[in-house]
């Protein structure tokens, strides 16, 4: 029986719905795996099985106008992920249409599209009327020769199966890149840090999204099968520390609880999570912090 396998990069602006789409695609078969195979620049985010095809999704940070070193490293990682992939799927939001950010991505696509398939996924289709969708589809396809256009709602699941089936047919014939049962081998420390960072972002919204980073400092296995996880949240200045802690420590407590619950669900065991907040004004210029996030410090130059 012919097996297929390939790398797929979902690219788009921040908040276009890449994570939601990925979770929907991968579903219950979420696997987070190491980047031993072929990918040097990009983090593997998840693996989905569809028939005899293995779809390996490459994590690409949202593409935006970079202002600082960290921004530049994130954007470089996103384009690097797309350049390493077999198939690129550009995700845009139906109700926002062709924004300045989408324009910039379309310009960048011309460079990396050579030799790889590029599809368009218009997300959040439930927010607009059919004529708007048709016009947007036409405009986008006039700007770039997409192989296919998919109209989807990542949140509700509409159109996602069609996209997954198409990807499964289009990835190259190849042995599978990962054992089917392999879960969570991207160092658990990094996954756990990412979970806490996500909870912080959700709590703090726009206040500090890129101004903090989380590191798992220690991971101790206990005899009863549980694990103690110590993490440090690095912020740039004293004022940020107060925001992260919140009134009487409410924010950090809520973040800790939500992150711990997600870790327990993911690992299927008890976790004792301890969070500390430290001010480190220069963390955005320290190469180790970038490695922790799977980014390349040099890309920020």
């Amino acid at each position: 029986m012919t097996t297929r396998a390939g790398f797929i990069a979902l690219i788009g602006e921040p908040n276009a719905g890449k994570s939601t789409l990925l979770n929907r695609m991968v579903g219950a078969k979420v696997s987070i795996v190491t980047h031993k195979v072929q990918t040097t620049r990009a983090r593997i985010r998840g693996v989905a099985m569809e028939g005899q095809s293995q779809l390996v999704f490459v994590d690409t940070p949202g593409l935006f106008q970079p202002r600082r070193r960290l921004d530049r490293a994130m954007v470089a990682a996103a384009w690097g992920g797309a350049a390493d992939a077999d198939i690129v799927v550009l995700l845009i939001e139906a109700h926002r249409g062709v924004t300045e950010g989408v324009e910039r991505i379309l310009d960048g696509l011309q460079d990396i599209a050579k030799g790889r398939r590029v599809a368009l996924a218009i997300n959040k289709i439930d927010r607009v009327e059919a004529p708007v969708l048709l016009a947007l589809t036409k405009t986008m396809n006039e700007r770039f020769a997409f192989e296919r256009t998919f109209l989807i709602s990542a949140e509700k699941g509409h159109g996602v199966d069609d996209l997954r089936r198409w990807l499964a047919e289009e990835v190259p014939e190849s042995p599978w890149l990962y054992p089917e049962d392999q879960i969570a081998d991207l160092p658990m420390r990094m996954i756990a840090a990412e979970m806490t960072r996500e909870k912080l972002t959700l709590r703090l919204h726009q206040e500090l999204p890129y101004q903090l980073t989380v590191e798992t400092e220690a991971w101790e296995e206990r005899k009863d099968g549980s694990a103690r996880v110590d993490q440090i949240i690095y912020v740039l200045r004293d004022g940020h520390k107060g925001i992260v802690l919140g009134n009487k420590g409410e924010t950090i407590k809520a973040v800790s609880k939500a992150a711990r619950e997600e870790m327990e669900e993911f690992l299927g065991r008890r976790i004792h999570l301890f969070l500390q907040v430290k001010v480190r004004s220069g963390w955005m210029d320290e190469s180790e912090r970038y490695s922790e996030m799977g980014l390349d410090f040099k890309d920020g130059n």
Side-chain angles (χ1 to χ4, degrees):
M1 198 176 270
T2 310
T3 57
R4 292 177 175 273
F7 291 94
I8 295 144
L10 302 175
I11 66 169
E13 291 186 277
N15 302 327
K18 294 185 295 296
S19 297
T20 311
L21 175 59
L22 181 71
N23 292 342
R24 178 71 69 171
M25 285 263 193
V26 173
K29 293 188 178 165
V30 64
S31 308
I32 299 179
V33 290
T34 50
H35 42 209
K36 291 190 187 97
V37 192
Q38 293 163 317
T39 56
T40 46
R41 310 248 320 256
R43 298 198 341 215
I44 302 300
R45 196 54 194 270
V47 177
M49 297 300 302
E50 176 72 26
Q52 291 301 303
S53 297
Q54 194 178 61
L55 308 176
V56 182
F57 289 94
V58 181
D59 186 20
T60 66
L63 287 161
F64 51 94
Q65 191 65 25
R67 292 194 176 79
R68 310 172 278 244
R69 178 187 270 274
L70 176 64
D71 298 348
R72 291 191 290 275
M74 288 173 77
V75 168
W79 283 120
D84 290 339
D86 297 298
I87 300 177
V88 176
V89 180
L90 169 60
L91 203 60
I92 68 167
E93 295 173 279
H95 59 294
R96 294 186 64 215
V98 187
T99 60
E100 265 180 52
V102 170
E103 293 275 6
R104 277 196 300 274
I105 294 170
L106 285 169
D107 291 340
L109 263 184
Q110 307 293 344
D111 299 333
I112 64 148
K114 298 173 188 68
R116 56 187 51 79
R117 340 279 301 266
V118 185
L120 172 66
I122 300 178
N123 191 22
K124 307 181 186 179
I125 53 171
D126 41 332
R127 298 200 186 182
V128 297
E129 299 293 320
V132 178
L133 270 180
L134 286 169
L136 180 56
T137 302
K138 186 168 178 286
T139 305
M140 287 295 288
N141 279 278
E142 281 166 0
R143 291 289 310 274
F144 187 91
F146 292 101
E147 276 201 34
R148 286 280 302 269
T149 298
F150 295 89
L151 304 178
I152 66 167
S153 164
E155 199 174 347
K156 300 195 165 71
H158 306 315
V160 175
D161 290 345
D162 290 342
L163 173 56
R164 191 171 50 221
R165 277 194 292 270
W166 180 78
L167 290 169
E169 286 162 14
E170 299 301 324
V171 288
E173 282 190 19
S174 154
W176 288 345
L177 302 165
Y178 296 100
E180 198 177 359
D181 58 353
Q182 179 182 340
I183 296 242
D185 194 36
L186 182 119
M188 238 355 271
R189 290 169 168 244
M190 198 191 263
I191 297 169
E194 192 58 28
M195 287 174 174
T196 302
R197 197 177 68 82
E198 184 194 33
K199 299 296 178 258
L200 282 161
T201 307
L202 289 171
R203 277 292 296 210
L204 302 171
H205 303 299
Q206 296 308 311
E207 290 177 83
L208 299 170
Y210 294 121
Q211 317 245 328
L212 52 80
T213 185
V214 179
E215 270 180 37
T216 305
E217 192 188 31
W219 187 292
E220 181 199 334
E221 298 290 343
R222 294 192 166 172
K223 287 196 180 73
D224 62 1
S226 67
R228 175 188 167 122
V229 179
D230 289 271
Q231 293 182 332
I232 299 177
I233 300 161
Y234 287 114
V235 293
L236 286 177
R237 41 183 90 87
D238 273 330
H240 294 174
K241 190 172 177 178
I243 296 173
V244 173
L245 291 171
N247 185 24
K248 295 182 182 161
E250 278 168 18
T251 304
I252 193 98
K253 271 188 208 136
V255 165
S256 182
K257 179 172 183 283
R260 176 180 55 75
E261 285 169 357
E262 187 169 338
M263 287 173 207
E264 289 183 335
E265 190 182 341
F266 185 81
L267 291 163
R269 59 195 177 118
R270 282 195 67 202
I271 295 292
H272 310 277
L273 178 63
F274 296 88
L275 298 181
Q276 267 185 295
V277 187
K278 289 189 178 176
V279 178
R280 193 152 185 166
S281 58
W283 78 257
M284 283 191 175
D285 295 310
E286 292 172 21
S287 60
E288 310 83 79
R289 306 283 89 78
Y290 286 69
S291 307
E292 283 280 335
M293 291 185 275
L295 299 172
D296 190 332
F297 185 67
K298 294 191 294 291
D299 284 340
N301 290 332

